[in-house]
Amino acid sequence: MPLPTFAPAVENTPQGILLPDSSAFHPDQTLDCGQAFRWEKQPDGSYRGAAGKRYCEITQQGGFLLLGGITEEDFDGFWRGYFDLDRDYGAILESFRRDPLLARAVDFAPGIRVLRQDSWEALCSFIISQNNNIPRIKGIISRLCGGWGAELQNGWHAFPEAKTLAALTPADLAPLRAGFRARYLIDAAQKVASGEVVLEDLAVMPLEEARNSLRRITGVGVKVAECTLLYGCGRVECFPMDVWMKRAMETLFPNGLPACARPWAGIAQQFIFHYARHHIKPSAARD
DNA sequence: AACCAGGCGCATA
DNA sequence: TATGCGCATGGT
């Protein structure tokens, strides 16, 4: 089924790329909702961050969204896809709202967009995320980029190449303080660098085949594979189930995800995840 | 100061 | 197939 698309008007200005419609996405809701870990909010409310090998500054001004520090080529070649600006979220959210509870989750943070991240970065990020908390995940990823990623600008670094990490040992990664995940990162790097796992193919492979391919990597189980496919490979039908999503589904959708959400299950998941984190008790003592 | 974290690998039944 | 445990580290 072809997904609805739309093409937002974009203006190239000396400060950067201007999205005249700020409803393209909401920075707080999208950049700090647990899907990407390299965006930092500045005291003035803007965001600085990096994705893959590129740096960007995002400022909300009035009805506009400014993507600063990038060229038009960067925008067309990368950021447009990263923010998934050609997907018609209006139509998707309209479908979601047909379910009353899902409508509540959408209304809580209607500016959430699922980012289309680099597959290698997403894979590593969610390997690091396992049995971990978000502040520490961010710290580990920051040290990983600072230690082994090429320098970009403003002290920001690219995400390290797989072949760079493939040559390292767990002892080399000790400064990361990633614990038992260090050897998982190295195994992922080696399998990607050697071509045993071809990340570029995962976007088009039959889904079950893509899952199995990722799970050849030590430290990649059901959940990490699902996150990699959703956030890193554009597979919006994927539906990561972590502890929060399990609680949320038990509480909110005991009969399963509503049919109106299924074509974009992963996108619905992001709204539910964010809603749950702000509305459900975090402890194991969940009434 | 415990408890827990956007899980996974492994052993056991 | 289904549990249950240990795991490195540190945030709350």
Side-chain angles (χ1 to χ4, degrees):
Chain A
M1 123 179 36
L3 295 172
T5 62
F6 81 139
V10 162
E11 201 178 325
N12 190 13
T13 76
Q15 292 85 16
I17 300 296
L18 204 56
L19 304 181
D21 181 5
S22 71
S23 71
F25 64 91
H26 190 291
D28 290 325
Q29 296 171 13
T30 295
L31 304 176
D32 194 22
C33 68
Q35 58 172 322
F37 305 95
R38 287 217 282 160
W39 293 100
E40 283 185 4
K41 192 169 189 174
Q42 304 304 121
D44 69 356
S46 69
Y47 279 84
R48 294 180 181 177
K53 303 173 181 178
R54 298 159 200 260
Y55 169 82
C56 186
E57 301 175 358
I58 300 171
T59 312
Q60 207 176 197
Q61 9 181 274
F64 299 91
L65 211 50
L66 177 67
L67 309 185
I70 69 172
T71 65
E72 192 169 16
E73 290 72 30
D74 279 338
F75 178 75
D76 286 329
F78 181 78
W79 293 106
R80 187 186 194 97
Y82 179 81
F83 291 114
D84 207 8
L85 294 176
D86 294 310
R87 193 186 296 279
D88 186 352
Y89 265 78
I92 294 170
L93 299 195
E94 186 182 337
S95 178
F96 287 177
R97 287 184 206 276
R98 289 166 50 199
D99 179 88
L101 271 178
L102 199 47
R104 195 174 302 178
V106 168
D107 288 337
F108 177 63
I112 287 177
R113 301 294 180 262
V114 173
L115 302 169
R116 300 183 62 142
Q117 303 180 55
D118 172 76
S119 53
W120 165 241
E121 179 172 343
L123 170 60
C124 292
S125 297
F126 286 95
I127 284 174
I128 291 166
S129 80
Q130 66 188 89
N131 200 52
N132 212 341
N133 56 60
I134 289 176
R136 200 164 82 95
I137 295 165
K138 289 180 175 174
I140 292 170
I141 292 174
S142 173
R143 292 189 289 277
L144 179 63
C145 296
W148 292 275
E151 190 163 354
L152 298 174
Q153 44 189 305
N154 281 0
W156 286 80
H157 293 257
F159 199 86
E161 307 262 3
K163 61 183 168 193
T164 303
L165 300 190
L168 302 180
T169 66
D172 294 325
L173 287 179
L176 274 188
R177 285 170 280 151
F180 60 86
R181 307 163 191 84
R183 71 185 181 95
Y184 299 167
L185 289 175
I186 291 168
D187 190 63
Q190 290 173 347
K191 290 196 164 93
V192 168
S194 71
E196 187 174 340
V197 175
V198 183
L199 295 177
E200 294 73 27
D201 292 350
L202 299 178
V204 293
M205 262 185 205
L207 193 53
E208 206 50 36
E209 202 177 313
R211 288 181 174 123
N212 290 335
S213 178
L214 280 167
R215 293 199 53 188
R216 298 163 63 88
I217 297 165
T218 307
V220 176
V222 172
K223 197 274 183 174
V224 171
E226 207 72 355
C227 285
T228 302
L229 289 166
L230 172 61
Y231 301 115
C233 305
R235 305 295 296 253
V236 295
E237 69 273 43
C238 287
F239 195 77
M241 281 283 269
D242 69 339
V243 291
W244 285 99
M245 283 304 295
K246 282 175 188 162
R247 289 173 207 158
M249 294 305 286
E250 284 171 13
T251 308
L252 304 174
F253 303 102
N255 298 320
L257 191 68
C260 63
R262 268 181 224 147
W264 313 277
I267 295 176
Q269 178 267 165
Q270 197 60 39
F271 285 90
I272 297 167
F273 174 80
H274 193 247
Y275 182 84
R277 289 213 56 153
H278 292 264
H279 288 90
I280 298 181
K281 292 178 192 169
S283 76
R286 47 173 207 245
D287 49 339

